Amino acid sequence: ENGDRVRLWRDHIESPDDIWDEIAAAAEVPGVTSAPKLQPIETRLVMLQTGMRAPMGLKVYGPDLETIEAAALEIEEQLKRVPSIRAETVFADRMVGKPYLEIDIDRDAIARYGLTVMAVQNVIEVAVGGRRITTTVEGRERYPVRVRYQRELRDSLEDLREILVPTPTGAQIPLQQLATIDYVRGPQAIKSEKGFLVGYVIFDKQPGESEVEVVEAADAWLREHYDRPAGIDYEFTGSYQNQVHAARTLVLVVPVALVLIFILLYLHFQSLGLTLMVFLAGIPTSLAGGFILLGLFGQPWFLDSHLFGVDWRELFQVHPVNLSIAVWVGFLALFGIATDDGVLMGTILQQRFADPDQKTGTVAGIRETTIEAATLRNHPAMMTTATTLLALLPVLTSDGRGADVMVPMAIPTFGGMIAAVLTVFVVPTLFCWQQERRLGS
């Protein structure tokens, strides 16, 4: 009534994880496992990628469904003991257990009545399954006409046993005298890959764990504690494979990016010594700054304060960050801008020392020229760093769609740019030292 926004959730519900925990607690049934936390669209994407309804799992290959199911159940029990896996999410497919109605025709019995297997099967098809005998035509519409026993005459085994089969002599013989009718256990679904029958064991990780590390821990646990039967093989699968493939790509991309940065710096300065100064002052320093900030995000005391009623840890979403692909992409972006301050300093120093009017013939002159040149570029360098940091603040505080990817990318860039401020002091110092050595030689 007063126009205030009405909160529809209970007070302790603050995140999607809280909602999922409430659902899991309310739906807990003895003997029934939970499931990985997936949204409908996310589930669809995961199933398209892995074929399973979970982000991680195993594919168990074997010669027959019974052997695969037994192996999958044993693997399920073993995975529940892995510390980094949520035990309640581990579930192996129950492949065998669906009731099937099996009608086993007695060939000797039907031979005594002059019947063939096809004649008996035709009666069973019409009585139980139904057969399409014709099609009615009504204008442009077509409707199939099927013949089938009424439901009350085929709902139970006793009714099926009383189905009459006509013989060539005209006698009507109950089906129970010609065949054995019973329920048998059969597969609920038959899946195959790579020419083998396959069963799935799905699971999910504990909060804060890396998918790749969880899979590696589960693989190590199974190798140590699980005695694999003959004919059974398994392999891990899931969305974590995207990270593995991306990591292999980054192993090539990162060195290539660093080499390209070095080449561009050399083309700009035309001096190997100055290029090395700028490169080594910017890249390692920014790399260290990025890792330092990643480490601080995992500390409980970092930003543990309130200002104007705002919790800084909540504002910047401070929590442990794994070395995911997003983090390494953030480092790649960092490497491209970490040398900006060094380029500013190196350019002005190179220009000043190339000026014949500058008194660089003595140590005092070299130091005076270095300080003068570096002072001129202090403000531009600080502005370069400040604009980058200010541009990253909205990303670090975002919590909408895509924030789970953008925040890990921004953290190393933010920390690296703070550390890259040191290049403002390191590059002039190294350049001055180089000029003094040349003067002394």
Side-chain angles (χ1 to χ4, degrees):
E1 296 179 358
N2 56 7
D4 293 339
R5 182 179 178 182
V6 179
R7 178 177 172 85
L8 300 178
W9 296 103
R10 283 169 280 178
D11 293 337
H12 65 280
I13 301 296
E14 299 291 345
S15 68
D17 290 333
D18 297 332
I19 300 175
W20 183 256
D21 292 338
E22 290 291 318
I23 294 174
E28 184 177 357
V29 178
V32 179
T33 63
S34 179
K37 184 189 69 175
L38 293 174
Q39 298 294 326
I41 296 178
E42 183 183 5
T43 304
R44 184 60 177 165
L45 293 175
V46 169
M47 291 187 68
L48 289 174
Q49 291 177 349
T50 66
M52 302 184 302
R53 59 184 184 277
M56 289 181 290
L58 281 92
K59 293 181 179 179
V60 183
Y61 301 95
D64 56 77
L65 297 179
E66 290 79 7
T67 305
I68 293 174
E69 183 179 33
L73 292 175
E74 176 62 24
I75 292 175
E76 175 188 80
E77 292 300 319
Q78 292 294 337
L79 291 180
K80 288 181 178 179
R81 304 173 187 174
V82 179
S84 56
I85 293 178
R86 296 179 62 185
E88 65 271 17
T89 64
V90 182
F91 180 75
D93 286 345
R94 272 55 176 176
M95 306 176 64
V96 180
K98 185 176 182 179
Y100 281 79
L101 179 64
E102 187 175 88
I103 301 177
D104 186 11
I105 299 176
D106 187 345
R107 294 176 180 268
D108 293 335
I110 65 175
R112 288 194 296 268
Y113 294 101
L115 293 169
T116 63
V117 173
M118 180 176 291
V120 177
Q121 288 179 336
N122 286 338
V123 172
I124 296 172
E125 178 186 0
V126 173
V128 181
R131 174 183 290 181
R132 179 175 177 175
I133 58 173
T134 186
T135 302
T136 63
V137 179
E138 300 181 12
R140 295 182 58 83
E141 300 175 357
R142 304 292 188 271
Y143 298 99
V145 178
R146 301 179 65 87
V147 176
R148 193 179 189 184
Y149 274 23
Q150 294 181 358
R151 184 174 297 276
E152 59 269 17
L153 299 178
R154 52 181 171 83
D155 264 358
S156 64
L157 287 179
E158 291 71 18
D159 294 332
L160 293 176
R161 293 190 177 105
E162 297 301 325
I163 293 175
L164 298 177
V165 180
T167 65
T169 61
Q172 302 285 335
I173 309 299
L175 184 60
Q176 62 182 345
Q177 298 183 18
L178 304 175
T180 302
I181 306 175
D182 203 356
Y183 283 112
V184 297
R185 294 174 68 247
Q188 301 188 47
I190 300 177
K191 299 183 285 290
S192 63
E193 292 183 14
K194 303 178 181 179
F196 294 95
L197 295 172
V198 63
Y200 297 149
V201 182
I202 63 175
F203 58 91
D204 200 3
K205 60 186 179 66
Q206 294 283 6
E209 296 285 347
S210 168
E211 290 185 354
V212 177
E213 293 177 352
V214 169
V215 171
E216 291 175 350
D219 189 24
W221 181 277
L222 290 179
R223 292 179 184 276
E224 182 178 355
H225 298 90
Y226 175 59
D227 187 13
R228 186 172 57 186
I232 290 293
D233 193 14
Y234 65 84
E235 67 176 5
F236 286 88
T237 186
S239 56
Y240 83 96
Q241 291 177 311
N242 297 332
Q243 296 189 21
V244 174
H245 295 159
R248 294 174 180 171
T249 303
L250 286 174
V251 170
L252 299 176
V253 171
V254 172
V256 170
L258 293 176
V259 170
L260 290 176
I261 291 172
F262 186 87
I263 292 174
L264 291 175
L265 291 174
Y266 180 78
L267 292 176
H268 174 73
F269 291 118
Q270 297 293 320
S271 169
L272 182 60
L274 185 54
T275 300
L276 285 172
M277 292 179 198
V278 175
F279 185 85
L280 295 179
I283 301 299
T285 304
S286 61
L287 182 66
F291 275 110
I292 289 173
L293 189 58
L294 286 173
L296 291 176
F297 263 65
Q299 302 299 319
W301 52 264
F302 183 63
L303 293 181
D304 188 13
S305 61
H306 291 74
L307 184 62
F308 304 113
V310 177
D311 186 352
W312 282 49
R313 288 183 64 86
E314 182 178 348
L315 176 64
F316 289 97
Q317 305 171 67
V318 178
H319 63 277
V321 180
N322 294 314
L323 286 178
S324 61
I325 301 303
V327 171
W328 285 111
V329 172
F331 273 114
L332 278 176
L334 170 64
F335 294 155
I337 59 178
T339 56
D340 288 350
D341 292 344
V343 170
L344 285 173
M345 289 296 174
T347 301
I348 189 64
L349 288 170
Q350 194 176 44
Q351 292 174 352
R352 285 305 178 95
F353 276 81
D355 187 355
D357 295 334
Q358 295 293 327
K359 299 177 182 180
T360 57
T362 62
V363 172
I366 292 174
R367 294 180 179 179
E368 182 181 352
T369 303
T370 302
I371 294 174
E372 179 187 357
T375 303
L376 290 174
R377 287 295 179 265
N378 270 336
H379 289 114
M382 292 301 101
M383 288 298 295
T384 302
T385 302
T387 53
T388 304
L389 296 178
L390 290 174
L392 290 173
L393 283 177
V395 180
L396 285 173
T397 57
S398 63
D399 58 358
R401 297 184 182 276
D404 55 334
V405 175
M406 296 303 298
V407 172
M409 289 176 58
I411 291 174
T413 307
F414 195 90
M417 286 305 297
I418 293 176
V421 173
L422 293 175
T423 59
V424 174
F425 308 98
V426 175
V427 171
T429 302
L430 292 177
F431 190 88
C432 182
W433 170 74
Q434 181 193 44
Q435 296 300 320
E436 290 180 10
R437 286 195 59 186
R438 288 181 179 177
L439 182 64
S441 62

